[in-house]
Amino acid sequence: MNAEGRAAPAVAPVFRMRGVTKVYTMGEVEVRALDGVDLDLYAGEFVVLLGASGSGKSTLLNILGGLDVPTGGDVWYLDHQLSGAEDETLTRYRREHVGFVFQFYNLIPSLTAAENVALVTDIAVQPMAPEAALGVVGLGDRINHFPAQLSGGEQQRVAIARAIAKRPDVLLCDEPTGALDFATGKMVLEALERVNRELGTTTVVITHNAAIARMADRVIHISSGRLVGVESNAVKAAPGDLSW
Amino acid sequence: MVRLPALDRKLLRDMWRMRGHLVAVALVAACGTATFVTMRGAYEALVHARADYYLRYRFAEVFAYAKRAPRTVVPRIAAIPGVAAVEDRIVHEVTVDVPGFGEPVTARLVSVPDVGRPALNDLHLRSGRYLAPRSTDEVLVGESFARAHRLKPGARLAAVINGRWQRLRVVGIANSPEHVYVIGGAGIFPDDKRYGVLWMGRKALEAALDMEDGFNSVTLRLAPGADEKGVIRRLDVLLASYGAIGAHARDEQISHQMLDGEVQQDRVTGLVVPAIFLAVAAFLVHNVLMRLIVLQRAQIGVLKAFGYTDRAVAAHYLKLAIATALAGSALGVALGAWLGAGLADVYQRFFHMPSLEFRLSIENVLGATAVCVAAALSGALPAARRALALPPAEAMRPEPPPRFMPLVVERLGYVQLLSPATRMLLRNVERRPLRAVLSVLAIALACALLVVGRFGLDALEETVRVQFREGRRDDVRVGFYEPRGPQVKNDLAALPGVTYAEAFRVVPARVRLGHRSKRTAVFGLPAAAELHRVVDIRMHEIVVPPTGAVISAGLARVLAARPGSVITLEILAGARHVREVPVAAIVEEPIGLYVYMDERALARVLGEGLQYTDAYLRVDPRRLHELYGELKRLPTVAGVTLREATLRSFLDTIAENFLISTTILIGFACALAAGVVYNGARIALSEHAATLATLRILGLTRREVSRILLGEQALLTAVAVPLGLVIGYGICAWLVVLVATEIYRLPLVVTARTYLYASGLVAAAAAASGAVVAWRVRRLDLVAVLKIRE
Ligand SMILES: Nc1ncnc2c1ncn2[C@@H]1O[C@H](COP(=O)(O)OP(=O)(O)OP(=O)(O)O)[C@@H](O)[C@H]1O
Ligand SMILES: [Mg+2]
């Protein structure tokens, strides 16, 4: 049933995906990474994407973030059509609206924490001060450290600060705790939750960790490129209460 | 079918993937090989052609000129110990009338035996036939002159010989080892239209000049191991009473000097220029391999883990360098052979020698290839050693993350001034200081090459400006056979069109100071000379004092003379007085080793009244042709030189040749700069691909990311260009010393135009190759970068 993604009908969605497919052709073989996805996401939502490895989560997130374009179907961010858009359009979209957090942090090794954040705030319209963004993730005292001088969790929190410093409309996180231990992972989740709550940023988090799903407004299950279930949490758990 | 070992197939695929880098390296290597092949080939061609020509056509080793000596002296000359062969002859300069060419032409008439060939300085017949025995009006014409006037056998000329018009019939076109490079007596520059060599039968010339049973020139060939200086001394003694002006060896023979200068220059260029290119190629090979080994760290670990020996792994990477070098040298040899053939064509215009042709010798090809491969290996070996040093277990782990430090400037507290992108760029440069320094040096060398390439033209133009435009203001120079009294000025001033005449005296002399001596010419100039001024390199006029002498800086260097030194003048004409004269001043002139004196002071030295051998005329341009006609008929006039015409024809020829060599140089220097920048940018792209992709993900545009990528190269180029200009100037200064001969010293002048041209071209080459790399930013895979752990 295709309309599963649609909920909370009264509000207009931020993202609208209709019949989205992504096909990778490798010689003879066709891989359908996404296979007819219909999905709406709403302002201020905290959404968790769950699914097995290879199910198409990253592909979906990359399309939402304007890093990739679908092979078929339509993707809308408000009134911007992302499907079939030119590289320039997608760049502008990412620059103005999206914040990313990745599993492997992707910090610039030759820049300090503050500079990694400044890199983004320099091109943003109404950014926070880099120091403030680092303060939000609890790293106010490490602003002049280079990535190589920070732990994995600290690096990931710098990445979050970098993502939120420009006050993005959406925050897209691909396995942000994948490379972290339990305690550090929790700190990262707290940072995400705080941003979502205080700034009202629409947040999508990919994870393999079903426990994290408890802090979401909605949990979307994906399997073999299809949406297979959506559940809403009546009560969101605080990150501090999670355990895995 | 032979199956390539898997490791070699990996090599081929690696090379295909890195083709951009490798093509850049190969191009730089090709430039090095090409210059090696061209200059080495040109050197070999000149040396072989010269040796062959000199030997087969019996080029003399000692040359002497007198006024008139009886042929009875010849056996006594032959009897001088060490003399192997003697050829006496008559040499006489005349004014020639070439039909259809209005300007006066000076020709050097050289006698050849009536029967048989000259014993020395034999002629190489290019077309037509040799003189018929005892012919009276037949002449052979030098190739350069024949070509300039399109003279063919059968053409007719007329000359005023000894005051009588004589009709001459061209029967053949010829060359002589004595005139490989043809240059006029009064001129310093070749002018094939206005100066030529003619060969004529001995009897006919004797009759025309009243020289029966006499000679005025003798040339000698020496026995192996003969004492050249001793022979010259004895010859001078024998000829002293016949008005000799002092014998000299080949090293003072102008054609030989010019040819030798070119040979030496080819030798130096053939070493220095290829060395620069190959050193840069080695550096590029090193960078490419270092990067490849970092990228393939894990692969190296796996290979070693599966039992490939260190040798096999190292050989694998060395093969890549060797294959690139071989491709580059193959291209370079082909290019070099092509350029060499072109250079030989240019040489044939200046140096008239049979068998002067570019040949691609097997030694040259093998030498060039070997040098190219050796250069590549010298860059590859340190990189390969790094691959060897990796223990397999460690190799399979990813390289530890690079550690960055705050910049020096940041530590000094200027941090706020820099944007994050700039800091990123500067830290990258700071992290690999050696690589940055070498890149800067390589780009700087490209810039320096361009400066040096243009410097030749600058220096030449400066020479002409100082010495032949500021220092000489005549329209026409006239030389007399015999010194003339002061009335000659009035005679000349009365000629049609002459508005002002200034006569002067030139006498041959040997100048001595202590144990050093030099044969040269002494000029006696009128006080406040207007047309012949002594001007130094800074355009200051040096006033010739009423007593004492002003000498060229070149002569001062030869004699180790200083102002105040007292030099001895041994006059080689007239009563051959020997006099001591103080040096009043030294004039820094680009060309020549002259002594300038006031005309009265010189007359006192000579023990004569005022006498003149030459005159400068200022002429109303509208009446030039009328004047030419008069001058050709004057029996007292031995030669007429048109300063501007000669300068212009010379500068045109030179400019044409410079255009060729400059074009080649531009190509090579740009290839060098572009190769370095392209490689640097490609390696930066490879090293920072993840960073750049991340920046794109964060919303930076392609243009912004390209700017960050190329910023490093732009910075290096910006540092390199001024450095290159300085290095270029330094090389020019060095060249001035290196190629300075006794008579010629390049003025060290590099024009702003040259600096602009060098920096502009290097910047353009760098920008173009940067743009090519920037194009690749388009292909950065934004999604893939998220899957790799750095
Ligand atoms: N560039 C590509 N070329 C070919 N196939 C690809 C490519 N990228 C992804 N795929 C395929 O698309 C499918 C979905 O991949 P995706 O990365 O979205 O999975 P995922 O759900 O994020 O998995 P994981 O949890 O392991 O990260 C997989 O089968 C993968 O093999
Ligand atoms: Mg994924």
Side-chain angles (χ1 to χ4, degrees):
Chain A
M1 155 177 157
N2 270 341
E4 275 171 336
R6 293 179 218 161
V11 200
V14 178
F15 282 105
R16 266 187 304 134
M17 302 180 92
R18 291 294 177 271
V20 170
T21 57
K22 178 72 185 180
V23 182
Y24 292 106
T25 314
M26 318 245 297
E28 310 273 286
V29 193
E30 273 197 355
V31 179
R32 295 183 87 74
L34 291 180
D35 193 3
V37 173
D38 294 340
L39 178 64
D40 287 342
L41 298 175
Y42 298 94
E45 264 195 309
F46 193 116
V47 175
V48 165
L49 266 181
L50 278 178
S53 180
S55 55
K57 303 182 296 292
S58 296
T59 307
L60 179 67
L61 195 82
N62 291 342
I63 289 173
L64 286 177
L67 292 179
D68 211 346
V69 284
T71 318
D74 285 323
V75 182
W76 290 84
Y77 169 76
L78 300 177
D79 53 351
H80 304 277
Q81 182 165 17
L82 303 182
S83 43
E86 291 292 312
D87 183 77
E88 281 73 30
T89 316
L90 292 177
T91 302
R92 190 150 19 85
Y93 160 66
R94 292 197 299 272
R95 189 174 184 137
E96 291 169 2
H97 305 289
V98 188
F100 286 102
V101 178
F102 307 108
Q103 181 178 6
F104 299 125
Y105 329 137
N106 291 74
L107 296 180
I108 312 292
S110 56
L111 294 181
T112 61
E115 290 163 356
N116 262 285
V117 179
L119 202 57
V120 174
T121 56
D122 282 353
I123 58 168
V125 187
Q126 263 197 324
M128 305 181 202
E131 294 73 19
L134 285 165
V136 171
V137 295
L139 282 178
D141 53 341
R142 314 299 296 273
I143 55 174
N144 286 327
H145 286 61
F146 284 94
Q149 298 165 321
L150 295 170
S151 76
E154 287 164 343
Q155 290 186 48
Q156 189 61 303
R157 282 187 282 156
V158 174
I160 293 172
R162 182 176 67 180
I164 62 165
K166 66 176 181 190
R167 305 180 203 275
D169 300 307
V170 291
L171 187 55
L172 303 176
C173 314
D174 195 342
E175 299 188 44
T177 59
L180 303 176
D181 66 25
F182 173 70
T184 349
K186 242 178 176 165
M187 276 159 76
V188 167
L189 291 175
E190 272 165 359
L192 289 178
E193 190 269 343
R194 190 170 158 205
V195 170
N196 174 253
R197 180 161 41 80
E198 291 180 0
L199 303 176
T201 312
T202 308
T203 306
V204 183
V205 177
I206 291 180
T207 180
H208 284 280
N209 188 339
I212 295 174
R214 286 178 48 214
M215 61 182 280
D217 291 308
R218 281 198 296 158
V219 182
I220 296 171
H221 294 267
I222 184 165
S223 171
S224 303
R226 293 164 180 275
L227 299 194
V228 292
V230 178
E231 29 188 280
S232 301
N233 287 325
V235 184
K236 288 200 278 183
D241 299 338
L242 301 179
S243 63
W244 62 87
Chain B
M1 206 178 99
V2 189
R3 211 184 69 86
L4 220 51
L7 201 56
D8 286 340
R9 278 197 277 169
K10 166 181 174 317
L11 180 76
L12 288 179
R13 278 193 203 131
D14 285 347
M15 288 185 71
W16 178 246
R17 243 177 330 105
M18 306 193 69
R19 60 192 178 275
H21 298 257
L22 299 182
V23 164
V25 176
L27 279 181
V28 173
C31 292
T33 317
T35 44
F36 184 96
V37 167
T38 305
M39 299 324 290
R40 177 84 212 160
Y43 172 77
E44 284 176 4
L46 283 179
V47 166
H48 287 158
R50 181 175 70 173
D52 182 62
Y53 196 29
Y54 282 7
L55 184 68
R56 284 204 294 144
Y57 289 83
R58 303 182 295 281
F59 183 42
E61 286 160 275
V62 173
F63 306 78
Y65 296 90
K67 263 207 141 39
R68 184 207 162 104
R71 295 192 81 175
T72 49
V73 185
V74 174
R76 287 163 62 201
I77 296 173
I80 295 174
V83 172
V86 182
E87 173 82 4
D88 67 301
R89 58 196 187 161
I90 299 168
V91 176
H92 189 67
E93 298 217 334
V94 295
T95 310
V96 173
D97 190 61
V98 181
F101 188 69
E103 296 171 25
V105 170
T106 303
R108 175 184 166 98
L109 281 177
V110 180
S111 75
V112 291
D114 287 302
V115 181
R117 291 297 189 99
L120 298 177
N121 310 316
D122 196 2
L123 302 185
H124 169 237
L125 198 64
R126 295 284 288 152
S127 66
R129 63 167 172 80
Y130 198 71
L131 302 175
R134 297 191 180 72
S135 65
T136 54
D137 65 344
E138 292 184 359
V139 288
L140 295 171
V141 175
E143 189 182 6
S144 59
F145 187 64
R147 198 185 295 169
H149 289 288
R150 300 173 194 280
L151 296 176
K152 300 247 154 42
R156 291 183 178 275
L157 301 169
V160 185
I161 306 181
N162 204 14
R164 286 187 296 269
W165 273 103
Q166 187 145 343
R167 303 170 74 72
L168 302 172
R169 204 148 52 82
V170 176
V171 296
I173 312 296
N175 284 318
S176 146
E178 213 182 344
H179 299 289
V180 169
Y181 186 83
V182 182
I183 197 160
I188 300 227
F189 302 123
D191 184 355
D192 292 343
K193 269 195 145 52
R194 295 173 193 84
Y195 185 84
V197 184
L198 305 179
W199 289 274
M200 208 174 162
R202 173 88 179 227
K203 276 273 169 288
L205 208 51
E206 280 184 2
L209 293 169
D210 304 325
M211 285 276 276
E212 280 85 1
D213 291 322
F215 68 92
N216 64 10
S217 167
V218 64
T219 63
L220 313 178
R221 187 140 189 131
L222 303 179
D227 166 22
E228 191 179 78
K229 284 208 165 66
V231 170
I232 288 177
R233 216 165 26 242
R234 281 157 189 259
L235 182 61
D236 278 344
V237 170
L238 274 179
L239 294 176
S241 48
Y242 304 110
I245 56 167
H248 61 81
R250 270 185 193 171
D251 60 359
E252 286 187 41
Q253 206 263 344
I254 188 80
S255 160
H256 179 81
Q257 269 182 345
M258 299 303 292
L259 188 51
D260 207 47
E262 192 65 33
V263 167
Q264 295 310 331
Q265 206 174 317
D266 283 354
R267 214 170 56 95
V268 174
T269 318
L271 290 177
V272 175
V273 179
I276 290 178
F277 281 99
L278 293 179
V280 173
F283 166 62
L284 296 183
V285 165
H286 180 78
N287 287 350
V288 169
L289 275 189
M290 286 299 271
R291 181 61 198 156
L292 187 63
I293 285 166
V294 167
L295 284 176
Q296 300 194 339
R297 201 180 147 91
Q299 301 179 22
I300 294 170
V302 171
L303 287 175
K304 286 187 180 175
F306 280 114
Y308 276 95
T309 60
D310 282 356
R311 257 175 108 86
V313 171
H316 175 64
Y317 290 103
L318 292 183
K319 272 186 200 167
L320 186 138
I322 293 172
T324 309
L326 285 177
S329 61
L331 180 65
V333 166
L335 190 63
W338 182 66
L339 293 175
L343 185 59
D345 279 348
V346 172
Y347 277 166
Q348 277 168 5
R349 269 200 265 165
F350 287 98
F351 301 115
H352 304 281
M353 292 195 276
S355 70
L356 173 57
E357 55 199 35
F358 183 84
R359 252 170 303 139
L360 197 58
S361 73
I362 203 81
E363 293 91 339
N364 191 349
V365 173
L366 290 182
T369 310
V371 169
C372 184
V373 170
L377 282 180
S378 74
L381 275 170
R385 204 169 305 134
R386 213 178 118 120
L388 291 187
L390 277 177
E394 190 189 314
M396 279 187 289
R397 278 200 298 275
E399 193 160 27
R403 291 207 162 261
F404 284 89
M405 299 268 287
L407 288 165
V408 176
V409 276
E410 293 175 293
R411 278 168 246 149
L412 295 175
Y414 294 104
V415 80
Q416 274 75 17
L417 300 178
L418 305 171
S419 73
T422 314
R423 272 178 249 172
M424 220 166 101
L425 184 161
L426 291 178
R427 285 179 194 143
N428 284 332
V429 173
E430 243 194 29
R431 205 162 69 88
R432 299 247 161 84
L434 187 63
R435 190 169 78 182
V437 166
L438 290 176
S439 296
V440 164
L441 208 59
I443 300 169
L445 282 175
C447 188
L449 271 181
L450 288 170
V451 171
V452 174
R454 283 284 300 227
F455 165 64
L457 198 57
D458 283 350
L460 195 74
E461 284 178 351
E462 182 67 9
T463 302
V464 164
R465 198 164 70 96
V466 172
Q467 203 149 357
F468 299 97
R469 295 217 162 111
E470 281 300 311
R472 310 281 187 275
R473 296 186 159 171
D474 58 306
D475 299 313
V476 175
R477 173 176 176 166
V478 177
F480 312 119
Y481 286 113
E482 296 291 335
R484 324 271 308 159
Q487 87 291 345
V488 75
K489 286 186 269 188
N490 302 328
D491 296 351
L492 289 171
L495 289 172
V498 176
T499 56
Y500 178 65
E502 188 172 285
F504 58 98
R505 178 91 196 246
V506 186
V507 280
R510 181 168 287 281
V511 189
R512 223 176 259 292
L513 178 62
H515 61 283
R516 300 169 212 255
S517 82
K518 187 73 202 167
R519 237 171 45 92
T520 179
V522 182
F523 284 76
L525 304 176
E530 267 188 48
L531 302 185
H532 187 161
R533 307 188 317 147
V534 181
V535 176
D536 78 5
I537 216 154
R538 280 173 293 277
M539 300 283 182
H540 294 145
E541 182 168 1
I542 310 288
V543 177
V544 180
T547 58
V550 174
I551 65 174
S552 306
L555 184 59
R557 275 189 286 273
V558 171
L559 299 176
R562 272 173 305 183
S565 305
V566 176
I567 52 174
T568 307
L569 295 183
E570 298 175 19
I571 304 297
L572 299 170
R576 301 184 151 258
H577 290 295
V578 177
R579 291 283 187 273
E580 306 216 309
V581 176
V583 174
I586 289 169
V587 54
E588 190 70 55
E589 314 182 282
I591 298 185
L593 300 173
Y594 300 123
V595 178
Y596 301 103
M597 294 177 74
D598 181 82
E599 56 182 7
R600 288 171 202 286
L602 181 59
R604 281 197 296 278
V605 166
L606 296 172
E608 299 171 353
L610 286 178
Q611 300 255 42
Y612 301 102
T613 52
D614 296 81
Y616 280 148
L617 308 180
R618 192 177 277 157
V619 182
D620 176 356
R622 283 162 304 182
R623 300 188 66 189
L624 259 179
H625 279 270
E626 212 178 321
L627 176 68
Y628 294 159
E630 270 318 290
L631 284 176
K632 281 186 207 171
R633 268 186 285 280
L634 282 184
T636 52
V637 171
V640 177
T641 316
L642 309 180
R643 190 177 49 92
E644 256 320 304
T646 297
L647 282 181
R648 222 171 305 123
S649 94
F650 172 71
L651 287 178
D652 287 351
T653 321
I654 288 290
E656 199 182 312
N657 292 329
F658 259 104
L659 190 69
I660 300 171
S661 58
T662 306
T663 310
I664 295 169
L665 195 72
I666 289 177
F668 280 20
C670 287
L672 189 63
V676 173
V677 171
Y678 178 82
N679 245 296
R682 278 299 298 269
I683 286 173
L685 178 59
S686 157
E687 283 176 353
H688 306 311
T691 296
L692 297 172
T694 305
L695 293 174
R696 291 278 289 122
I697 291 170
L698 295 178
L700 270 73
T701 60
R702 271 204 293 254
R703 184 186 290 268
E704 288 163 335
V705 168
S706 302
R707 209 176 296 146
I708 290 172
L709 168 68
L710 298 179
E712 185 177 336
Q713 302 306 314
L715 177 72
L716 297 181
T717 307
V719 174
V721 164
L723 180 67
L725 298 181
V726 172
I727 294 178
Y729 186 83
I731 296 179
C732 292
W734 179 59
L735 269 182
V736 163
V737 176
L738 200 68
V739 305
T741 61
E742 277 187 355
I743 56 163
Y744 186 44
R745 193 181 176 88
L746 293 166
L748 183 54
V749 172
V750 182
T751 58
R753 196 183 48 179
T754 294
Y755 286 136
L756 271 179
Y757 145 98
S759 27
L761 273 171
V762 168
S769 53
V772 171
V773 177
W775 184 252
R776 298 188 152 260
V777 168
R778 210 167 267 278
R779 297 205 294 195
L780 276 177
D781 188 335
L782 302 193
V783 177
V785 67
L786 303 176
K787 297 181 184 165
I788 344 159
R789 160 141 221 172
E790 292 179 43

